[in-house]
Amino acid sequence: MFNFKKEADTEYIDLTDIDVFQQQYNENFSRLKYFGLQYLPDEEAVLDIIQDLWLKIWERKETLISQSAFRSYLYQALYRSILNYLKHDAVVKEYAGKDPYDLEEQEATHKIIEAEIYQALNRVFEELPDACRRVYAASLEGKSQK
């Protein structure tokens, strides 16, 4: 993704070197934090997003990255990540705004269905001959076929 051809007048960085990576992190962290806070006032969320961004960069282990292209990438990636965070947050808030009785009703419906399935299984289990029923009961208790 970041592999560019070297040109004589362009400064390149090698993010596979831990020292270079740490240096880039230290140089860009405060800038990214300030930039992120312009779009998302939640400082903790911005810091988490920035950490995720650097983790992804480290996992890719890119080489031969132009300094200017890398900075541009950092800002664009942070901006996109913040937009994704805001979209996700809106969905969470919308879901949280739902009537809790609707959720309780759904849970009650699931419990009713579960009870009916359990009752049907018990009915089928009772219709089995005694020997089969004992074998299945033993297997449900974790016993072997012996």
Side-chain angles (χ1 to χ4, degrees):
M1 175 176 167
F2 285 122
N3 293 331
F4 299 107
K5 293 181 180 178
K6 273 192 173 182
E7 296 176 12
D9 59 344
T10 305
E11 180 184 342
Y12 287 90
I13 54 176
D14 180 7
L15 292 176
T16 60
D17 181 356
I18 185 70
D19 294 327
V20 173
F21 182 85
Q22 185 67 39
Q23 177 189 4
Q24 289 298 314
Y25 177 87
N26 292 335
E27 286 179 10
N28 291 293
F29 183 81
S30 59
R31 292 180 192 140
L32 291 173
K33 180 180 171 186
Y34 178 78
F35 179 77
L37 289 171
Q38 302 304 306
Y39 296 98
L40 181 62
D42 183 355
E43 184 175 356
E44 187 176 324
V46 170
L47 294 176
D48 286 344
I49 292 169
I50 292 171
Q51 292 301 322
D52 288 343
L53 174 62
W54 282 102
L55 178 63
K56 289 175 188 174
I57 292 169
W58 177 251
E59 288 172 347
R60 288 190 200 131
K61 304 242 188 222
E62 300 291 342
T63 59
L64 301 176
I65 302 171
S66 161
Q67 182 70 33
S68 60
F70 182 60
R71 278 215 180 115
S72 176
Y73 167 78
L74 287 173
Y75 287 113
Q76 290 175 3
L78 179 60
Y79 180 73
R80 285 191 308 270
S81 295
I82 289 172
L83 288 181
N84 289 338
Y85 175 87
L86 292 172
K87 286 177 189 175
H88 175 74
D89 193 47
V91 170
V92 168
K93 285 179 182 174
E94 179 184 338
Y95 183 74
K98 298 256 185 212
D99 186 6
Y101 294 108
D102 288 342
L103 299 175
E104 289 175 8
E105 186 177 313
Q106 289 176 0
E107 187 176 322
T109 303
H110 287 275
K111 287 183 179 183
I112 291 169
I113 292 170
E114 183 180 322
E116 289 176 359
I117 291 172
Y118 184 73
Q119 181 182 15
L121 286 172
N122 278 335
R123 216 174 327 143
V124 169
F125 190 72
E126 293 298 322
E127 293 175 4
L128 292 173
D130 278 344
C132 287
R133 193 174 333 132
R134 277 184 276 145
V135 169
Y136 280 116
S139 70
L140 290 175
E141 293 174 2
K143 297 180 180 176
S144 68
Q145 291 182 353
K146 293 180 182 180

